[in-house]
């Protein structure tokens, strides 16, 4: 078994990005600038956004954090998005999800200029993804593809089972894995909460990508000998031994599954850091396109 080390890969990607930023600065141009909107005081969201801002600083990007109380009106949030769309000093921005119930996520996503949608959530960018056109591929699926590429894992002709069909992970990764190109060409099955014979389907996977948000759901009896297993899951569970009071747990029961795999990611050094690096890559692309 070999670990798919997302932490190591993401450090390499950050170094590559930093070199690009140094070149941009040397040539007298403005470095990439990412803005992030955070609504409310959800601990996990605050944590994700502060890590994204820190990542920007590390690679030499500019960053702007915009915070609203949980009771901000939808109109006020949409006004801020319009402002960011028009701001020429900002290359891309994200609105950290989930949003409070009184705000319509779809309205917010639709308001973002697709050219600045570095999360790749807008219909235009998802449409381009489906058509195989250049676009912002959302950060988590992009990070998974990058990890497979950097470990030279062959996907052609392989059976890939994607467990979970969310718009931000399961569905786009299934599209990318089935795409007719060097990093795709897998035969893809999407499984979800209504899937029958889930264990058998998972066991038939050469590549198993799990994004359901159910801790340690995938156990050794669901994994084929020699499979590649990618664990996207990241659920906070209380842990008094940690200063933070919690730890993140994946959807795969790593300890029992690892010995059956050829390659496996671990939480939190797998998909998480690759997601963060992908957001930086998308912001760099947004800057270069402007
Ligand atoms: P989501 O929107 O919550 O959707 C979960 C999906 O899992 C749904 O398609 C659901 O099926 C399916 N599902 C739930 N229970 C299931 C079960 N018992 N059997 C089979 N399928 C089941 O998921 P998400 O936003 O993609 O997030 C999934 C996990 O990934 C979460 O832990 C999240 O924190 C994590 N995540 C991590 C990163 C990262 O950077 N590491 C990024 C994004 C998400 P139905 O459609 O039938 O309801």
């Amino acid at each position: 078994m070999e670990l798919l080390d997302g932490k190591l890969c993401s450090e390499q990607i950050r170094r590559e990005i930093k070199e690009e930023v140094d070149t941009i600065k040397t040539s007298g141009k403005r470095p990439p600038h990412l803005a992030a909107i955070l609504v409310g005081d959800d601990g996990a969201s605050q944590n994700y956004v502060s890590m994204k801002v820190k990542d920007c600083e590390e690679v030499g990007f500019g960053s702007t954090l915009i915070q609203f109380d949980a009771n901000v009106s939808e109109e006020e949030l949409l006004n801020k998005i319009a402002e960011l769309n028009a701001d020429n000093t900002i290359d891309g921005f994200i609105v950290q999800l989930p949003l409070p119930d009184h705000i319509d996520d779809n309205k917010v996503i639709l308001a973002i200029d697709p050219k600045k949608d570095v999360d790749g959530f807008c219909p235009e960018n998802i449409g381009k993804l489906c058509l195989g056109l250049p676009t912002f591929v959302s950060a988590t699926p992009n990070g998974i593809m990058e990890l497979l590429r950097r470990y030279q894992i062959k996907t052609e002709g392989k059976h890939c089972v994607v467990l979970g069909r969310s718009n931000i992970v399961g569905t786009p990764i299934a599209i990318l894995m089935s795409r007719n190109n060097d990093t795709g060409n897998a035969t893809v099955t999407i499984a979800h909460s209504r899937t029958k014979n889930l264990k058998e389907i998972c066991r038939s996977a050469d590549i198993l990508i799990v994004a359901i948000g159910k801790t340690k759901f995938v156990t050794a009896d669901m994994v084929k000998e020699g499979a590649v297993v990618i664990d996207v899951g990241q659920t906070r569970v209380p842990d008094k031994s940690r200063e933070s009071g919690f730890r993140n747990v994946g959807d795969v029961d790593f300890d029992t599954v690892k010995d059956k795999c050829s390659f496996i990611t671990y939480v939190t050094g797998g998909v998480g850091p690759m997601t963060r690096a992908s957001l930086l890559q998308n912001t760099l692309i947004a800057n270069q396109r402007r």
Side-chain angles (χ1 to χ4, degrees):
M1 178 277 293
E2 191 177 342
L3 273 185
L4 291 169
D5 194 334
K7 194 165 174 288
L8 198 73
C9 272
S10 68
E11 281 162 6
Q12 174 64 31
I13 294 169
R14 277 159 213 257
R15 275 195 295 276
E16 291 163 9
I17 293 175
K18 188 156 187 337
E19 278 171 24
E20 293 261 3
V21 173
D22 290 344
T23 311
I24 292 171
K25 285 181 177 167
T26 310
S27 70
K29 292 189 188 140
R30 177 179 62 70
H33 192 128
L34 176 76
I37 298 182
L38 175 65
V39 181
D41 54 9
D42 174 70
S45 293
Q46 279 179 336
N47 197 21
Y48 294 145
V49 169
S50 68
M51 285 192 299
K52 288 168 188 175
V53 169
K54 191 166 146 269
D55 290 342
C56 285
E57 284 162 13
E58 256 177 48
V59 297
F61 287 8
S63 65
T64 302
L65 173 59
I66 300 148
Q67 284 181 279
F68 287 109
D69 286 344
N71 59 7
V72 66
S73 70
E74 190 176 84
E75 191 188 359
E76 200 179 337
L77 185 57
L78 292 174
N79 286 341
K80 178 51 78 178
I81 289 172
E83 213 180 280
L84 294 177
N85 283 338
D87 186 337
N88 280 328
T89 66
I90 285 171
D91 299 299
F93 63 95
I94 59 162
V95 181
Q96 186 67 39
L97 301 177
L99 292 167
D101 289 346
H102 67 279
I103 298 176
D104 181 346
D105 287 10
N106 284 329
K107 248 191 193 172
V108 168
I109 290 169
L110 282 164
I112 300 171
D113 179 348
K115 290 195 236 24
K116 294 193 175 189
D117 169 36
V118 284
D119 254 343
F121 292 167
C122 287
E124 183 175 322
N125 288 325
I126 292 172
K128 285 181 174 170
L129 175 79
C130 294
L131 296 172
L133 298 171
T135 184
F136 296 117
V137 178
S138 63
T140 303
N142 202 31
I144 295 170
M145 296 307 287
E146 189 76 35
L147 199 56
L148 294 173
R149 256 195 302 274
R150 287 184 185 236
Y151 277 86
Q152 298 180 340
I153 291 172
K154 295 266 173 289
T155 51
E156 181 169 324
K158 298 287 167 62
H159 183 207
C160 172
V161 173
V162 179
L163 193 44
R165 56 178 164 185
S166 71
N167 288 340
I168 61 166
V169 186
T171 298
I173 193 71
I175 293 166
L176 291 167
M177 291 296 289
S178 61
R179 179 82 64 66
N180 182 3
N181 63 21
D182 287 349
T183 54
N185 280 327
T187 304
V188 178
T189 302
I190 303 179
H192 44 77
S193 67
R194 313 294 169 91
T195 299
K196 294 202 171 26
N197 305 324
L198 195 61
K199 193 182 282 188
E200 285 68 30
I201 290 171
C202 289
R203 215 163 32 206
S204 71
D206 302 306
I207 301 172
L208 179 61
I209 301 175
V210 192
I212 58 173
K214 299 265 182 295
T215 55
K216 300 189 180 186
F217 182 88
V218 171
T219 44
D221 55 336
M222 298 169 79
V223 176
K224 181 178 172 172
E225 201 72 49
V228 175
V229 175
I230 309 282
D231 187 357
V232 185
Q234 202 165 273
T235 304
R236 275 184 171 200
V237 300
D239 184 344
K240 284 185 184 147
S241 71
R242 305 264 174 120
E243 203 184 317
S244 61
F246 71 87
R247 72 196 149 89
N248 284 308
V249 177
D251 291 344
V252 175
D253 186 10
F254 181 86
D255 290 336
T256 65
V257 167
K258 67 179 192 318
D259 294 329
K260 290 188 90 175
C261 301
S262 54
F263 293 92
I264 185 168
T265 61
Y266 64 102
V267 176
T268 56
V271 176
M274 291 304 289
T275 298
R276 286 164 58 189
S278 288
L279 181 65
L280 295 174
Q281 284 178 316
N282 278 349
T283 307
L284 179 63
I285 293 169
N287 173 273
Q288 287 165 341
R289 283 188 189 154
R290 282 166 65 79

